[in-house]
Amino acid sequence: MRRVGIVVFPGFQILDLVVVTVFEVANIIAGRPVYDVHLVSELGGMVTSSSGVVVQAQPPGDLSYDTLMVAGALDLAVVPASLAVFVRGAARAARRTASICTGAAILARAGLLEGRRVTTHWLVARALQREFPTLRMEEDRIFIQDGPIWTSAGMTAGIDLALALVEEDLGADISRAVARKMVVYHRRPGGQSQFSALLELEPRSDRIQTVVRYARENLKEDLSVERLAEVAHLSPRQFSRAFHAETGQSPAKAVENLRLEAARVLMEEGHHPIEIIVRETGFGDRERMRRAFLRAFGQPPQAFQRAARLSA
C-alpha cells in the first residue's frame, strides 16, 4: 500500500481534491488497494475550503507518506505562514512531494524548490519567480517532475500530474485505463497557453487591436515588425515600444503564439497534412514549426495529431 497524504488548509481550492478520484480509480483498475489516501492538515479536524465546502482532515501524527501532495488556493494570502514549516517536515519522510496549482508557492516557501524546474498556475507564475529567483519557472507546462518534486499548473492539471504518478508506479496501461474511465486525456497535449494564445494579449488602443486582428487574419503573410508597423501607421521603433507596453509581448513572440494556436487547432482537427498546416500558418518550414511547438508546449506537433486520432 502506498500512503498518499493530501495537505489541505483553511481556504484551499476544493477542485484540487479531484486527484483523490485518480487514486481511487487506480485501485479499481489494478484490482487491489494500491493507494491509501488521506486528507491531512496541520491540526486535523474540519477544514473549510474557499467555496465553503468542509472536509474532515487527519492530524499528521506519526504517519509518513509515500507521496505528499499539497493543494493550492485561489488567494495565496489565506495560506498560513506555519504551513510551510509543516510541509517541509512532512516532505522529509516522503518518497516524492507534489503540488497542485498554487500549492507550488507553499513548496517554495518550504524551501523545496530551490534550483528546481517547476510550474504553477499561469496567474501566479511570474510573481513566484520574482519571489524565489533560484527556481526555474516553466509557466506553460501542465506538470513538471524534477527529481522527487512534482508541480502542476492550475486546478485540473492536478489530474494530469496524478495520472503521471500512477503511471510511474503502475505503468502506462493502468494510467491510460484510469484516464479512460474518468473521460480525461491520458497525456494532455500542449501547455497552459493552449487555452488561448491571446490570453495575455489585451491591447487597449484601437491601433494595436487593429494590428492583432490583422495578424490573426493574415498568418500566411509577412508579419515582420516593419509590416505590422505599417498597419499601425507607426515607425517600427514606435510600434515595437507601443505593442510591448500594451501586451507585455514583443510583436515577434505574439505572432509566433498566434501561429501556434492556429496550427494546434488544425492539428487537432486531425485531417490536415503537415505541409498544409505549415503553409497556412506561416511557419515556412516543418522544422521551424517543430521547434516552436517544443518551446511552447514541450511536445512536437505530431503529439497533437496522435491525440486527435485517439479522441476520434
Side-chain angles (χ1 to χ4, degrees):
M1 286 276 281
R2 299 176 185 270
R3 191 182 298 276
V4 179
I6 301 175
V7 178
V8 295
F9 49 88
F12 78 95
Q13 168 52 233
I14 193 71
L15 185 58
D16 292 354
L17 295 190
V18 72
V19 297
V20 173
T21 301
V22 175
F23 298 116
E24 176 190 8
V25 175
N27 284 342
I28 295 170
I29 299 296
R32 56 191 173 91
V34 179
Y35 297 104
D36 179 24
V37 182
H38 300 261
L39 298 187
V40 190
S41 67
E42 286 185 85
L43 303 176
M46 308 305 286
V47 181
T48 304
S49 69
S50 59
S51 62
V53 175
V54 180
V55 299
Q56 176 75 44
Q58 298 177 342
D62 296 326
L63 295 177
S64 61
Y65 299 97
D66 173 79
T67 302
L68 186 74
M69 302 186 76
V70 181
L74 291 177
D75 181 2
L76 286 173
V78 308
V79 179
S82 59
L83 188 64
V85 177
F86 165 65
V87 168
R88 182 163 56 246
R92 287 195 191 106
R95 177 171 64 94
R96 59 191 178 191
T97 300
S99 63
I100 307 165
C101 192
T102 59
I106 300 168
L107 297 191
R109 292 166 188 171
L112 300 175
L113 300 185
E114 292 183 8
R116 294 193 182 276
R117 296 171 54 242
V118 302
T119 193
T120 187
H121 195 292
W122 63 270
L123 271 172
V124 302
R126 294 177 190 178
L128 191 63
Q129 177 72 86
R130 287 193 297 270
E131 185 178 352
F132 298 96
T134 63
L135 60 80
R136 295 152 59 195
M137 179 62 67
E138 298 184 22
E139 62 183 87
D140 194 47
R141 302 300 293 274
I142 296 295
F143 70 87
I144 286 177
Q145 177 193 7
D146 188 330
I149 303 296
W150 300 63
T151 53
S152 69
M155 301 183 193
T156 60
I159 299 174
D160 301 78
L161 185 148
L163 286 169
L165 296 177
V166 170
E167 180 168 339
E168 182 179 66
D169 296 338
L170 304 176
D173 288 345
I174 288 182
S175 178
R176 192 177 294 112
V178 173
R180 189 179 302 118
K181 189 171 181 67
M182 292 181 65
V183 197
V184 296
Y185 274 117
H186 171 238
R187 189 169 287 110
R188 192 186 333 189
Q192 297 187 67
S193 66
Q194 70 177 291
F195 301 108
S196 176
L198 298 179
L199 200 58
E200 295 180 358
L201 273 180
E202 297 180 352
R204 297 181 298 276
S205 69
D206 290 343
R207 192 190 298 262
I208 303 301
Q209 288 176 10
T210 298
V211 170
V212 171
R213 186 166 56 250
Y214 174 86
R216 291 187 72 182
E217 293 172 356
N218 295 274
L219 292 177
K220 290 193 294 184
E221 307 303 325
D222 168 33
L223 295 178
S224 63
V225 169
E226 291 74 17
R227 176 64 192 122
L228 296 178
E230 289 178 9
V231 174
H233 302 292
L234 292 170
S235 72
R237 181 173 294 183
Q238 287 176 316
F239 167 70
S240 293
R241 283 201 301 264
F243 192 93
H244 193 278
E246 292 195 29
T247 68
Q249 297 184 26
S250 69
K253 184 63 176 176
V255 167
E256 180 175 271
N257 286 341
L258 290 170
R259 285 176 166 147
L260 280 165
E261 181 175 57
R264 178 183 58 79
V265 169
L266 291 173
M267 289 283 179
E268 291 175 346
E269 289 177 0
H271 51 264
H272 301 287
I274 290 283
E275 291 75 13
I276 298 297
I277 295 173
V278 168
R279 187 187 69 203
E280 292 299 311
T281 56
F283 274 109
D285 63 70
R286 296 179 60 157
E287 179 58 23
R288 181 182 172 196
M289 186 171 75
R290 189 187 72 84
R291 291 197 302 267
F293 266 71
L294 289 173
R295 281 195 302 271
F297 305 132
Q299 297 187 70
Q302 289 78 4
F304 291 82
Q305 289 184 315
R306 286 194 296 269
R309 286 196 294 269
L310 288 171
S311 296

